[in-house]
Amino acid sequence: MAILKVLKLPDPRLKQVSAPVESFDQAVRDLVADLEETRLAGPAAVGIAAPQVGVLRRIIIVDVSTRPKTPNHGHLVLINPEILHWEGFAIGREGCLSVPDYTGNVIRATHIRLRAQDLDGVEHLYEMEGFEARAVQHEMDHLDGLLFVDRVVSRRTDLYRRQVHQPAVFPRVKAQ
Ligand code: NI
């Protein structure tokens, strides 16, 4: 297993459309193991998508179970995911390992019905809501070359710079 390098905006590979997984072999398992290690390598993210490490395959991992009071299906490896049904919408704040300096307000469906395959190629259906549904929609966007910054209503009012932790130093004295 290995921690992989996460591509950052504006890497052009983040704008590509990923291809479906067709063979459910050891190479896919190894990739998922590396993706998971990378997701947790801090800052731990609730999700990651294969194209974020430069592998243009339709694979995402989502796990929102660490968030309190959030309905969820636990740790999910979702291969070739497809949303069959959307319902409702809500605005929520999102961040992304590929856009480390910003968060943004994005409109997402509040309920989705999802079909995806697991590591053995077996299909599953999920009914998802709230933050889990949001995380899946965010990660699935990566498979189509979209980032949350492409979804904000206004880049001027809906993007927020993450807090920068400044070292405690004396106030800078203006040059004369
Ligand atoms: Ni992301």
Side-chain angles (χ1 to χ4, degrees), residues 52 95-97 138-139 142:
Q52 288 184 276
C96 181
L97 293 173
H138 174 114
E139 298 310 329
H142 282 296

Side-chain angles (χ1 to χ4, degrees), residues 14 45 47-49 52 94-99 108 135 138-139 141-142 146-148:
L14 292 169
I48 193 167
Q52 288 184 276
E94 297 185 12
C96 181
L97 293 173
S98 297
V99 191
R108 302 282 188 190
H138 174 114
E139 298 310 329
D141 267 356
H142 282 296
L146 283 171
L147 298 170
F148 77 83

Side-chain angles (χ1 to χ4, degrees), residues 57-100:
R57 294 282 158 189
R58 302 189 81 83
I59 301 170
I60 65 174
I61 298 174
V62 168
D63 184 356
V64 301
S65 62
T66 53
R67 300 250 309 202
K69 294 181 191 164
T70 301
N72 70 86
H73 294 82
H75 184 272
L76 294 172
V77 176
L78 302 169
I79 301 179
N80 301 328
E82 264 184 89
I83 295 177
L84 305 175
H85 183 75
W86 284 263
E87 232 175 278
F89 62 87
I91 293 179
R93 190 70 72 89
E94 297 185 12
C96 181
L97 293 173
S98 297
V99 191

Side-chain angles (χ1 to χ4, degrees), residues 9-10 17 21 24 38 50 55 72 89 96 98 100 104 114 128-130 132-133 155:
L9 191 72
V17 175
V21 172
F24 292 79
T38 306
V55 179
N72 70 86
F89 62 87
C96 181
S98 297
L114 182 82
M128 295 179 167
E129 60 178 300
E132 185 179 54
R155 290 197 178 200

